[in-house]
Amino acid sequence: MTAVSLPAVLAGRPGVPRVVVALLLAAVLPPLAGATPLLSEPHALLLTGACVTAMAALSLNLLLGYAGQVSLGQYAFVGVGAFTTGIVTGVADLRLPWLLGLLASAVVGAGLAFLVGLPALRLRGLYLAVVTIAVAYAASESLFRIDAIGGGSAGKVVPRPYVGDTALASNASILAIGLVLLVLLWRADVNLTRSRLGRALRVIKADESVAASFGVDVARYKLLAFSLSGAIAGIAGCLNGTAYGTVTGAGYGYAQSLALLVVVVVGGLGSRGGVVAAAFVVTLYPEVLLSIVGDGIRGVDLVINGVVLMAVVAFQPRGYAGAMADARERRRARQGGEPPLPPTRPSLPDLGRPSGMPTPRRIHRGEPVLHGSGISVAFGGLQAVDGAGLRVDRGTIAALMGPNGAGKTTLFNALTGALTPDAGTVHFLGEDVSSLAAHRRAARGMGRTFQLIGLAKAETVYENLLIAQHLAAPYGVAAALTTLGSRAWERDLRDRADATMDGLGFGRYRDTPVGRLSHGQQRIVEIGCALVTSPELLMLDEPSAGMSPAAAEDLASTLIDIRDTLGRTILLIEHNIPLVLATADELYVMDAGRVIADGEPLEVVGRPEVVRAYLGQEVSA
Amino acid sequence: MSAAPMLEIIDVTAGFGAVTVLHGVSMVVPAGSIAGVFGLNGAGKSVTMKTIGGVVPVRSGRVLLDGEDVTTLSPEQRVARGMGHVPQGRQVFPGLSVEDNLRLGAYTLRRRRRARYAASLERTYSQFPVLRERRHQLAGTMSGGQQASLSVARALINEPRLILVDEPSAGLSPVAQLELRAVLEVVRQTGVTMVLVEQNVAFGLSLVDTAHLLQTGRVVHSAPVASLDNDTLATHLGIGRVLAGATGSALLARKRGTS
Amino acid sequence: MGQVLLLGLIQAGIYALFAVGIVFVYRATRVLTFAGGEIGTASLYVAALVSTRAGLPWGVGALAAVTSAVLLGAAFEFLLVRRAVDADPVVLSILTVGLALTLLSVETLAFGSSPQGLAPPFRGGVELAGIVLSPTMIASLVVAAALGLGLQSALRRTDFGLGILAAAEDPAAVRLVGVPLARIRLVVWSASAGPAAVAALLVEPTVGFVTPGYASTLYLGGLVAAVLGGLTSLSGAVIGAVVLGLTESVAQRLFGDAGIPNLNYVVDLMLLLLALVGRNALPGLVAWIYPPPPAAPTSTPVAEEIPA
């Protein structure tokens, strides 16, 4: 199943928390040696409960923390797992193996979550929240109470797993199973976050249009997130049902789902370690309090949970993990700030097209790389682009200029497929791509950057360069979860990311979150992201915006390098006239939605209609 | 024109987070005059406006409105003291009717002296007849030019002493720009003091009395419009010289040499 | 048939009361509040303390309940919402989940799970189609409709109400016309707690007793009704509640013997999915409940000046 073997777990391999290993040893070894378990049976059950919470937290964290989809009914999926195990293993006289129940829980959990995810494709976050609450109630109050499913008022009985002919009667043995499952899920989660799948989910959460521009099929990945989350929740439910022996709807309701939300938010959304730690703390501390203070304290823990949730959301929305990150940040700041920007003298490597991506179509000499014609876009009453067109030849830099509101970015978006124009056609490498979605155009070799930086800001430079190669490593979900069959791909991605980073002179910022770089640096990273898959055409929306003049000069030489050394084609929207004159071979000027001039840049900027467009209608003296 | 300044900005620095955008901007706007702030993208025009309005706090320096220090006041308090805004992108409330937009514009006037509102509304409608025609229409369904009129009217109806107009021509079609031109002429005739930020330099220059030219967060030149010529503008804005091709050809030579 | 209709309307009254409060908060802040049910329950405990334990009249207890709810809303805004570093509506909605959890656990801690009684304000009732209608049952739907219309007109007619609507559309721009945004938010959060208390007070005689979290299950109906009504329309919320109540009642009559306990939750879920998915599929049919949003701004968005 996963890359981690049991001996490796026992040996405390990095990435497996030592606490888990210690607990596993404590649970497994003494009974094997014929001694009394170190843990009392009630304590083992309690710890198993913590494992269940931790798994459920991982499932909610996948959905909410990684993919940004709100679920207030996660325990419905956990419950589905518990009841499925009961039904599958309880079928009269068949004595179906427990493992089959486990598998069925994962599958049914995934299936239900998939169904809940379907409306999520069209709903904004809060509508989805209401849907999930309704699911929580419908499942725990209604579905799980149907006699055929829930076994009537007594609840569904889940038999203990068998090894040979002996049932695993002790709670400690169930705890051992739970810990193994938790470690496996942890490992799968680690693999997931380091795979193209995890990266795709993170970038969807950050910005869906950025995700699409990197070639991520947003709808498909959202459904995947729901399904995986449902599967993990189902597994947690299977363990919970097995540990307690009977399952009733009351144990898997809205209240439990909200408690799980506390765990995930307090632990820190998106932080695997944080949410698992929080799961153990939140499950165990009330018992510790009870044993210290006595029965009078019963119920106070729930008040504490609610207050802590509010405080965390209001003051530290990134939870415990976020607070730790901030503390590290402050320590680093005290020890002296970031080193200044290194002189970016790029020597860009020619990486070639990644093997996972289609080779761009070959075109005849003289045929344009990009050709848009007759493009019109209207927003409400405003004709933003009005029959505009342009062509870009191979190995050249074309620039698009014009005053604010001239329609440059709108035309740009129509060319990349980010919006559908009312009229007009777009040909890319001789192929009519007018009806293709943005990510399909990206796959054909169109790389772009955004006016407002199109990067996942919270992720590091390196991560962003990996996310940008989404289409370059087309391995599937199983490979992502197990790393089997994805390693060669990932190695290739990392090599390309490293080469691009070094080529741009950004090696020392490898692990710096992009959001902490200066605006100009972010621009360069963004261009790196567009370049890393070696697209035929690079489309840049105001790359020099917010740059100092010196940085803009560096940018100019980078662009010239991309054209002359790598032989790529570039289309850029630019306000910075010196930059345009220093780089562009062809200049298009737009005003009021139309292309009013095009040709040799220096000649074009001198034309009266261009000067008029810039200085306005009434030139005063 | 009276000589007493309606607005005085003294050595203001401001910015966001770790970034400082304004590095010691100073500016005096006499009562009854119209000041223009011009500069390229990123020069700090918008931040200057937001600092005057109180949306972006100043790091150092002072802002005086009619002699009163308003540096530490909130945007709402400044509006109550006679500041009016025509924000960038117009920002009318699209889901409210035209008349409701105007009524909100008069929020502080109606609190001070409710009786004045009827007259003020009447005056606004006669200044902007198109708004009277469309008083019950949702603001978001009007054309860009009409929204610009509404945005200006919404500021004027509160009887401000100073009105801040931020990039009014941005995103407007040429026809709508002509409409806007007429609207701002109306404002000028009311005699209210105005600060205008504009990227369309010619459009702005035709309206203002004094021009303040900004480059990278500093005022590099302030002068009455009458004394400005194209060369001065070109030098201080940094666009004209390139359009004229002076430094452009040098850059071009460099490019040919390196490639 | 008459009975089915009547039962549906009684349920609709309860849902409508909660839905009106939910829509009010959403219109004013774009936040979906999940705390209304618990604010209602908590304020009901206040009423029980004042009326049942201290023996004061129902009216005094009700007043105390509404007052305490309003104060609670104000404290919530002042201590937490205002300080939330990230003002994203989803984050603030999770904040209201925190409030609900806290109130629920405080109720449990303070009053245990033993039900508290609260004498109904009026005795007697009318019998109709074999059902005894108590005055509060009739009042629920009437009060909900009145509250909805009243709030709607307060939002439209007063300057402050307009400010609330405008603040929801564009918080930055309202400050530039001089509307005090901080005060608006304080008033919205405190005022929105009022309907929750009123809802709980009117529902209680139908249910008959107060237990921790008793209003939460009914609150789900309020949420669904609010969504059915388009989330931004106060009258839509009342219509949504009626649709929901009647559907539940009809479904109970038709499928009540099918062996599905608490059928109403399944109906809620189905109706919700139908409305949310159907809104995309059948735009014409439901357009009258969901008024189309105002047309996209007719200007191209202007890029902010980006600091270097």
Side-chain angles (χ1 to χ4, degrees), chain A residues 564 575 577 581-582 615-616 618, chain B residues 41 200 202 242 251-252 255 259:
Chain A
D564 296 347
H575 273 300
I577 296 165
L581 292 180
L615 284 185
E618 308 132 285
Chain B
N41 267 3
N200 186 335
V242 179
L251 276 162
L252 208 62
K255 161 194 156 194
S259 61

Side-chain angles (χ1 to χ4, degrees), chain A residues 127-499:
Chain A
Y127 282 100
L128 181 62
V130 179
V131 172
T132 57
I133 295 179
V135 168
Y137 275 104
S140 71
E141 304 293 325
S142 193
L143 193 67
F144 295 160
R145 286 170 204 251
I146 296 174
D147 285 353
I149 296 174
S153 54
K156 192 84 193 169
V157 176
V158 182
R160 290 274 164 139
Y162 280 81
V163 177
D165 272 341
T166 40
L168 295 179
S170 78
N171 286 342
S173 57
I174 303 295
L175 172 61
I177 293 177
L179 287 169
V180 170
L181 285 175
L182 180 58
V183 169
L184 293 178
L185 288 178
W186 170 283
R187 195 64 220 176
D189 195 84
V190 171
N191 292 340
L192 172 83
T193 49
R194 291 179 187 166
S195 72
R196 69 193 293 260
L197 181 53
R199 291 191 294 263
L201 294 182
R202 284 197 294 273
V203 69
I204 285 174
K205 183 188 180 192
D207 190 330
E208 290 188 11
S209 66
V210 172
S213 80
F214 285 142
V216 175
D217 183 345
V218 173
R220 181 165 167 263
Y221 278 90
K222 275 190 187 170
L223 285 177
L224 251 175
F226 272 96
S227 309
L228 282 176
S229 168
I232 300 173
I235 292 172
C238 171
L239 178 66
N240 204 35
T242 308
Y244 286 94
T246 31
V247 189
T248 59
Y252 302 94
Y254 184 44
Q256 285 81 0
S257 296
L258 292 190
L260 191 63
L261 187 71
V262 176
V263 167
V264 173
V265 170
V266 170
L269 287 175
S271 157
R272 174 174 43 242
V275 301
V276 169
F280 276 88
V281 170
V282 170
T283 318
L284 299 180
Y285 91 89
E287 302 300 325
V288 176
L289 266 187
L290 273 177
S291 67
I292 296 172
V293 187
D295 216 33
I297 205 80
R298 198 176 286 279
V300 173
D301 55 308
L302 295 175
V303 181
I304 296 176
N305 289 354
V307 171
V308 168
L309 175 62
M310 289 197 289
V312 167
V313 173
F315 301 108
Q316 177 52 275
R318 289 183 302 140
Y320 171 77
M324 289 298 103
D326 285 355
R328 275 197 301 277
E329 184 59 31
R330 276 194 298 276
R331 264 202 307 282
R332 193 177 308 153
R334 266 203 308 276
Q335 287 160 4
E338 292 282 324
L341 175 67
T344 53
R345 187 49 236 170
S347 57
L348 289 164
D350 189 357
L351 294 165
R353 195 73 170 153
S355 47
M357 295 179 86
T359 326
R361 284 168 61 108
R362 295 185 176 278
I363 50 172
H364 301 295
R365 187 184 296 274
E367 222 181 324
V369 168
L370 179 72
H371 188 194
S373 62
I375 294 171
S376 294
V377 183
F379 296 122
L382 181 82
Q383 192 68 40
V385 176
D386 189 3
L390 49 74
R391 60 177 278 164
V392 189
D393 291 318
R394 186 187 288 272
T396 65
I397 298 178
L400 184 57
M401 260 176 52
N404 272 352
K408 305 180 296 289
T409 297
T410 309
L411 174 61
F412 208 73
N413 286 336
L415 292 170
T416 59
L419 63 77
T420 314
D422 304 323
T425 58
V426 182
H427 283 81
F428 179 58
L429 295 172
E431 179 190 10
D432 187 346
V433 295
S434 311
S435 57
L436 294 184
H439 68 270
R440 300 212 180 275
R441 298 190 201 188
R444 279 164 172 70
M446 213 185 247
R448 80 164 292 185
T449 68
F450 290 82
Q451 187 171 8
L452 304 169
I453 306 272
L455 295 171
K457 296 271 169 83
E459 307 289 333
T460 63
V461 171
Y462 187 63
E463 267 292 309
N464 271 281
L465 284 166
L466 292 178
I467 294 168
Q469 299 179 73
H470 181 77
L471 293 172
Y475 58 82
V477 181
L481 293 179
T482 60
T483 72
L484 298 175
S486 73
R487 287 184 202 164
W489 289 114
E490 286 292 317
R491 205 172 309 123
D492 184 40
L493 298 195
R494 286 197 297 269
D495 289 347
R496 300 175 71 89
D498 280 326

